[in-house]
Amino acid sequence: METPSSRTLPGRQEVGMTRDELIREYKEQSGSWQGLVGVYAVIVGVMALSGYLMVG
């Protein structure tokens, strides 16, 4: 049985993944917005603390 990721086009190399598989993989690998906000808050906090210690 032929799977979607093993299809070949005439005169071309093997197709890696279908569009749906690529979208699914992207969503599985992407982070959450809460994680992004947390990392951003840590970076801004460290910058503010180091600025305060230099000026302060």
Side-chain angles (χ1 to χ4, degrees), residues 30-43:
S30 66
S32 64
W33 68 269
Q34 294 96 340
L36 179 65
V37 169
V39 170
Y40 184 76
V42 168
I43 291 171

Side-chain angles (χ1 to χ4, degrees), residues 6-29:
S6 67
R7 291 185 299 197
T8 55
L9 298 173
R12 300 222 178 196
Q13 294 291 329
E14 185 175 306
V15 175
M17 299 175 86
T18 64
R19 182 177 61 92
D20 291 339
E21 290 171 333
L22 286 171
I23 292 169
R24 188 178 310 114
E25 183 72 18
Y26 173 76
K27 287 182 178 179
E28 289 174 359
Q29 297 295 325

